[in-house]
Amino acid sequence: MTRRGSPRLEGYAILAAIGLVAALALRRPELAVAAAPFALVLAIGLQLAREPGLDVRFTVAGERTVEGADVEAEIVVRTESSVDRLELLLDLPKGVEVEGEDAVAVRLRTGEERTIPVQLRCSRWGVYEVGMIEVRARDLFRLVVWETRLRRVHELKAYPHSETLTRVLDAAETQAFTGSAVARVKGDGIEYADIRDYVPGDRLRSINWRASARRTGLVVNERHPDRNTDVVLFVDSFADLRDGNRSTLDDAVRASATLATRYLERRDRVGLVSFGGILRWLRPGLGPSQRFRLIETLLETGVAPTYIWRDVDLIPARILPPKALVIALTPLVDPRYVTTLQNLRARGFDLVVVEIDPVGLVEAGRNELERLAYRLWLLDREVLRSRLERLGVGIARWGDGVALESALEEVRTYRRYARVARV
Amino acid sequence: MRTDEDALVEVGFRVAALALLALVGALVLGWPSLVPASLLLLGGLYGARLALDDPALDGASPFFAAGLLVTAELGYWSLEERETVKAEPGESFRRAAFVALLALGALLVGSLLLALTDGVRAGGLAVDLLGAIAAGAVLLVVVVARRGRRDDTRAS
C-alpha cells in the first residue's frame, strides 16, 4: 500500500512550526500554547498510525447474467490492525453499474472481517471484467492515508435480453432431420397433404377409408413430414449507428439472440456469421449448448473499422449450408454488406433482411443543404430496399416503436406472395 | 474622531474577514491548503493583538488554541466529506465526539502549558528554551514522518 500524508498532516505541521517560531520571535508563550495542540496531535497521531494489513476478496454470484438484471456480489475485507475509516471504491467498466453507492466506508477493529454486499447491473450486453477495487485507509487522527488499487477480477457475461417473438419465419426448404417445420415434400408426418391411389407397400393405416368408399379402389393419405431447417444469422458488424439510448449493433445482437433461441427451441440448426471488420462465424448446430455458443460469440461482436473489401467468398462453405435460411441483421448502411447480400441471393440462398432501422438515429440536418442530403439518403435507402425486394429478398424494418414480431410478420406476408421471384 | 485604536480594530476585522473568506474558499473550492492559511491569519491577528496590548499572560489562549484546532478539524472533515462515500450509520456522531475530545484535550494541554509558563515566567530564558525545544520537536516529527513515508513507498 502507498502511504502518504493527508492535507491535515501538512497543515498542522505548518501551523505548529509557525506558531512556535512566532512565540519565540514575539516572546509570547500564548502563541506556543495555541500551536501546542497541533504539535501534540501530530506527535500522537503519527505514533499511533499503523499500516492496516488488509485482505480484500471480491466474489460475484454468477458468471452470466442478462442485461438489466441484478447480480449479487460481495466484497469481503479483513484487517490485521484497526482502521478508523476504510473506503472501498468498486471501479467498474462502462456498461456495469452498482445499484446504490459504488463506494462505501467502514470502520474495522483489529482482526475484524466485514462483508459488504454489492448489487451489480449490466446496462448493456457484453463481456465485462469486474473487480478493480480502490482501497483507501485512514488512521484515527486522519493524518496518514494508505492507498492501493486491487485487482480481484471476475469475468461477467451479460447476455442480451430477448425481444418478444412467438413465431419465427419458416425457411423455404427444410433439411433431412426431424424438427418442427412442415416440409413441402410428401412423406411420413402429421400434416395432411393430399390423397392418391393405393400402391402395394403402402401402410394400411394410411388408407383413407371414407375416400376409398366413394371410389372404386383404395386411396391413401399423403402427409408432409416434420423436418428441421438450417438458419444462419448474418450480422452486419461493419458499422454501428448509435445515440445515447440506441445502437444498431446492440439491437442486431439482441434480435440475433432472440431469433437463435426461438429457432433452437424448434430443433432447427442455427449458425452465425458476424460479417464486418473482423469476420467471425459459428457452424450451424442445435441444442441448448449451441445457444450458449451462439450468444457468447455474439457477445464478442464489435465494430472494427476497416477499408478492406470483404466478400462472401471469405466465408467457409460449411458455415452456409445449402437450403439454409439466411437472416441478415443490418442497418443497410455499408455498401460492402449490401453487395454481399446480393451475392448470397445470387447463389440461391433463401435470404431475409431484418433492417435495424437507423433513420431515427440520424438527424435531418440544420441547414437546407444538410436536409437535402438527408432526403437524398432516405431516397437512396428506398431504392436499395426495392432493389433487394426485386431479387426476392424480404425486408423487415425493425426500429423505434416496432416490435420484432410485427416486422417479421411483414416479411412472412411478402414471402407468401413473392416466393416465385427468380434471380 | 477616528483614533489609532479604531484603525487597528478595523484592520483586525479585515484580517478576520480575510481568514473567513479563505476558510470558505477552502470549503467551496475544495482546496485544503487554504485551511492552514485561514488559521494562520487568525493566529497572526491574535499574535498582533498580544504584541500590541502586551498583557501579562492571556488566560484565553487555551480557548483560542482549542478553537483553532476545532476549526481546523471541522474544515478538514468537511473537505473529506466532499467525496461521496457512503459511510456507516453513526460515523458522523463518532467523529463529532472525537473532535470534541480533541478540543477538550487542547484546552487541557493549553491550560497546563499556560500554568507551567506562568510558573517559570520569572526567567525569560526558560520560556525561550521551552519554545526552542518545542519547535525542534515539531521539526523532528515532520522529518520522521517524511522518512517513514519514503520507506513505505520504497517497500510497496
Side-chain angles (χ1 to χ4, degrees):
Chain A
M1 291 183 96
T2 310
R3 175 183 156 145
R4 67 172 174 85
S6 70
R8 196 185 253 109
L9 175 72
E10 286 171 12
Y12 284 11
I14 290 168
L15 285 168
I18 292 177
L20 292 174
V21 169
L24 275 176
L26 297 173
R27 304 182 63 78
R28 297 300 313 186
E30 292 91 339
L31 291 178
V33 168
F38 294 102
L40 208 65
V41 165
L42 281 180
I44 299 172
L46 291 176
Q47 192 60 39
L48 293 179
R50 293 274 178 277
E51 183 178 336
L54 288 176
D55 175 26
V56 181
R57 280 167 283 153
F58 179 70
T59 52
V60 184
E63 288 176 3
R64 294 180 181 88
T65 182
V66 180
E67 58 179 334
D70 290 339
V71 187
E72 302 292 333
E74 57 183 30
I75 303 171
V76 182
V77 60
R78 192 177 184 284
T79 179
E80 284 170 13
S81 57
S82 69
V83 189
D84 190 57
R85 185 179 166 95
L86 179 70
E87 294 168 8
L88 299 155
L89 169 72
L90 200 54
D91 189 9
L92 295 167
K94 197 181 167 192
V96 185
E97 294 151 8
V98 175
E99 181 73 15
E101 301 288 335
D102 59 350
V104 286
V106 290
R107 180 175 177 239
L108 294 174
R109 293 186 188 85
T110 306
E112 189 181 348
E113 184 174 285
R114 188 76 65 89
T115 303
I116 301 150
V118 185
Q119 219 163 32
L120 301 176
R121 183 179 293 166
C122 299
S123 57
R124 182 187 179 268
W125 55 265
V127 183
Y128 300 100
E129 283 195 339
V130 291
M132 295 300 291
I133 305 169
E134 283 185 18
V135 180
R136 188 187 295 159
R138 296 174 194 271
D139 65 321
L140 180 64
F141 285 83
R142 309 282 166 90
L143 294 173
V144 187
V145 180
W146 291 272
E147 286 177 320
T148 189
R149 189 175 165 82
L150 302 170
R151 195 180 152 80
R152 306 283 185 265
V153 169
H154 288 261
E155 195 178 73
L156 184 63
K157 289 174 180 168
Y159 286 8
H161 70 72
S162 286
E163 298 292 329
T164 308
L165 185 66
T166 50
R167 205 171 153 211
V168 289
L169 292 172
D170 289 324
E173 290 182 81
T174 51
Q175 302 290 329
F177 299 105
T178 306
S180 303
V182 178
R184 293 187 192 289
V185 293
K186 291 163 187 168
D188 284 339
I190 297 168
E191 291 291 324
Y192 174 78
D194 203 352
I195 54 169
R196 63 167 168 79
D197 288 335
Y198 174 84
V199 289
D202 280 338
R203 287 184 296 184
L204 283 179
R205 70 179 211 187
S206 0
I207 294 172
N208 187 331
W209 294 107
R210 281 173 188 272
S212 301
R214 287 196 293 270
R215 296 172 67 161
T216 52
L218 289 173
V219 173
V220 290
N221 285 333
E222 284 186 314
R223 295 179 189 278
H224 290 299
D226 293 320
R227 296 280 181 260
N228 77 338
T229 56
D230 281 354
V231 179
V232 176
L233 302 167
F234 198 68
V235 180
D236 180 358
S237 59
F238 275 113
D240 179 22
L241 278 78
R242 59 168 60 231
D243 64 4
N245 306 318
R246 240 191 96 209
S247 146
T248 54
L249 187 69
D250 286 7
D251 285 352
V253 167
R254 282 186 198 114
S256 303
T258 307
L259 287 167
T261 307
R262 296 292 170 271
Y263 278 111
L264 288 168
E265 282 169 359
R266 292 189 350 157
R267 292 182 53 80
D268 290 330
R269 291 201 314 157
V270 183
L272 173 76
V273 177
S274 173
F275 197 67
I278 296 172
L279 188 64
R280 290 189 181 86
W281 62 73
L282 190 69
R283 283 180 69 171
L286 45 84
S289 57
Q290 178 72 359
R291 178 174 174 256
F292 281 101
R293 276 198 293 270
L294 268 163
I295 294 177
E296 296 206 354
T297 310
L298 278 170
L299 294 184
E300 293 166 10
T301 307
V303 174
T306 178
Y307 295 101
I308 300 169
W309 188 264
R310 296 257 187 240
D311 199 81
V312 75
D313 292 335
L314 289 169
I315 305 166
R318 66 181 188 280
I319 306 301
L320 292 169
K323 301 182 191 173
L325 168 65
V326 179
I327 301 178
L329 298 115
T330 170
L332 286 178
V333 291
D334 195 288
R336 290 169 290 186
Y337 191 84
V338 175
T339 309
T340 306
L341 291 183
Q342 288 166 337
N343 280 347
L344 281 173
R345 185 70 193 106
R347 285 163 196 233
F349 283 100
D350 183 15
L351 183 63
V352 169
V353 174
V354 176
E355 181 194 346
I356 316 294
D357 199 354
V359 174
L361 298 168
V362 181
E363 283 182 25
R366 291 186 191 133
N367 55 42
E368 189 56 36
L369 192 65
E370 286 178 354
R371 281 195 288 273
L372 180 66
Y374 180 74
R375 288 206 301 274
L376 278 172
W377 178 66
L378 291 181
L379 284 171
D380 195 39
R381 293 183 64 79
E382 287 294 333
V383 171
L384 179 65
R385 262 184 230 115
S386 61
R387 201 183 298 154
L388 286 171
E389 281 176 345
R390 274 206 304 278
L391 294 174
V393 179
I395 300 176
R397 289 182 72 179
W398 181 48
D400 283 332
V402 181
L404 181 61
E405 181 129 42
S406 350
L408 290 179
E409 194 56 47
E410 280 179 34
V411 177
R412 190 174 291 114
T413 312
Y414 169 85
R415 281 161 69 85
R416 195 174 298 144
Y417 298 108
R419 194 171 285 149
V420 287
R422 292 281 180 271
V423 181
Chain B
M1 189 154 168
R2 195 177 152 90
T3 61
D4 287 348
E5 199 175 328
D6 289 342
L8 282 173
V9 168
E10 195 182 319
V11 169
F13 271 119
R14 283 184 182 177
V15 173
L18 198 64
L20 187 68
L21 199 69
L23 192 62
V24 170
L27 301 183
V28 172
L29 302 172
W31 291 350
S33 51
L34 281 180
V35 175
S38 160
L39 298 180
L40 277 175
L41 282 173
L42 286 176
L45 194 65
Y46 180 62
R49 195 183 70 82
L50 288 176
L52 290 172
D53 290 355
D54 199 19
L57 200 61
D58 187 15
S61 61
F63 292 98
F64 180 72
L68 276 188
L69 187 67
V70 169
T71 309
E73 278 293 329
L74 293 180
Y76 283 120
W77 184 12
S78 177
L79 287 171
E80 284 165 9
E81 288 298 313
R82 285 171 71 93
E83 292 167 6
T84 52
V85 178
K86 188 188 161 195
E88 287 177 303
E91 203 212 318
S92 302
F93 288 111
R94 203 164 45 77
R95 191 72 201 158
F98 182 73
V99 172
L101 203 69
L102 278 183
L104 203 67
L107 203 64
L108 204 70
V109 168
S111 303
L112 275 173
L113 274 176
L114 208 61
L116 189 71
T117 311
D118 198 27
V120 294
R121 195 161 173 79
L125 187 63
V127 179
D128 290 354
L129 208 61
L130 186 69
I133 291 168
V138 168
L139 285 175
L140 196 69
V141 164
V142 173
V143 168
V144 167
R146 285 203 171 271
R147 184 177 291 173
R149 187 165 62 177
R150 265 207 306 273
D151 290 348
D152 279 5
T153 312
R154 227 176 274 153
S156 63

